[in-house]
Amino acid sequence: MNRQPSGRGRPRSRSPLPLSLRRKPVPWDRQRPTWRDARPSLIASALKRAQARPSGNWYVVGAASDLDDSRPLARTVAGREVVVWRGSGGRLQAGPGVCPHLGAPLADSPVRCGTLVCHWHGLALDGSAFGGWEPFPAFDDGVLLWVRLDEVGGEEPLEAPVVPERPSPAHALSAVYEGTGVCEPEDVIANRLDPWHGAWLHPYSFVDLTVLGSPGGVDSPDRLDVEVSFKVAGRLVVPVRATFTAPGPRTVIMRITEGEGAGSTVETHATPLAPDERGRPRTAVIEAVVAASDRPGFAFVRRAAPLLRPLMRTTAARLWRDDLAYAERRWQLRSTARFPG
Ligand code: FES
Ligand SMILES: [Fe+2]
């Protein structure tokens, strides 16, 4: 990895308070342009390497907390209708979202005692194969729900998805944001592999961003180290160091490595959906923020989770409004052969 000189490249030491005051705030239009460092070829090769990593045909379909015992969660993944539900004992079940009898949309069918009961004629599916309906492997990692679609992925299947390392649930607070863009998963991943845009495109959230290292050669591990401050209000910021990695073709992880909330992760998963009515690809962004802190007050924060989760989702939604515009723009240019990369 090439280390690049950084004006602010000191490791952060732990301060008694998470907040810092920016001494000499740099106005948005006076910050250092990052376009020279954000080389299109560099982002493209990092993306290519991410796409070559195995996913084992696992797709994130939603948040574990969104699934209750009474209804399935339905998603169309790469044009295939998929339903997941909690079977007996809470075990995750998954399969095609089309009833094997006359094709009712199982998305609209209720779950009774762990069995998905078709609302057209009452056919009950307990998660085992029936009448041509074949279950899909499913995995609940405690934060996100995954389904394995071998026909869609076409890779060597893996027993379980590659779940990123996360802070222990007992000391963490998680929230999942979901959004949809007119683009392909690679456009979402390319956006996340460009951390250089952070303080330019999202000045309301990030300031003083420096990318400390970038992928060097073809064989180097992809890891982008970033020093950045999260904006709280006015000149109040939370400075951290974070690392971006792409462990699979549709996933990018940002992990805070130093500063407040070290160990916290932001996992971005891109899942292809069905095309829209104009035939354009659609992609779901399913992003899990798993926030951790060893500060004593964090126990109280966790108790306030029902209040904080919507706030965390709102923050992610604001960032993704701009990031999806970036990803959609990238797809538009690619699809009309105007992409400069
Ligand atoms: S369509 Fe589902 S039971 Fe008839
Ligand atoms: Fe962004």
Side-chain angles (χ1 to χ4, degrees), residues 80-95:
R80 270 71 159 187
E81 284 178 67
V82 173
V83 278
V84 296
W85 75 95
R86 296 222 182 268
S88 59
R91 188 159 179 257
L92 194 65
Q93 305 287 355

Side-chain angles (χ1 to χ4, degrees), residues 26-39:
V26 180
W28 178 83
D29 53 355
R30 302 280 296 280
Q31 65 182 321
R32 196 177 72 82
T34 51
W35 67 269
R36 284 188 189 83
D37 297 330
R39 298 201 310 275

Side-chain angles (χ1 to χ4, degrees), residues 191 197 202 323:
N191 166 270
H197 74 256
H202 312 293
D323 283 332

Side-chain angles (χ1 to χ4, degrees), residues 56-59 61 82-84 91-96 127 134-140 145-151 157-161:
N57 304 327
W58 287 95
Y59 294 83
V61 292
V82 173
V83 278
V84 296
R91 188 159 179 257
L92 194 65
Q93 305 287 355
E134 293 287 335
F136 299 135
F139 192 89
D140 178 352
L145 306 173
W146 305 69
V147 173
R148 199 180 84 197
L149 300 169
D150 293 336
E151 229 182 78
L158 291 175
E159 269 304 298

Side-chain angles (χ1 to χ4, degrees), residues 296-310:
F298 201 67
F300 293 104
V301 171
R302 287 191 62 249
R303 257 174 253 149
L307 292 171
L308 286 170
R309 280 206 182 92

Side-chain angles (χ1 to χ4, degrees), residues 262-283:
S264 301
T265 53
V266 178
E267 280 176 41
T268 307
H269 300 272
T271 300
L273 304 173
D276 70 7
E277 64 289 344
R278 289 167 57 187
R280 300 175 305 176
R282 286 164 64 252
T283 294

Side-chain angles (χ1 to χ4, degrees), residues 204-227:
Y204 44 84
S205 279
F206 304 120
V207 288
D208 304 336
L209 184 143
T210 306
V211 178
L212 303 170
S214 55
V218 174
D219 298 324
S220 70
D222 280 314
R223 186 191 143 113
L224 288 159
D225 293 316
V226 171
E227 198 170 64

Side-chain angles (χ1 to χ4, degrees), residues 310-331:
L311 190 68
M312 287 163 82
R313 281 199 199 105
T314 307
T315 308
R318 188 168 185 198
L319 290 167
W320 273 107
R321 194 181 53 206
D322 293 329
D323 283 332
L324 278 173
Y326 177 129
E328 291 181 336
R329 170 82 177 164
R330 187 180 184 276
W331 178 78

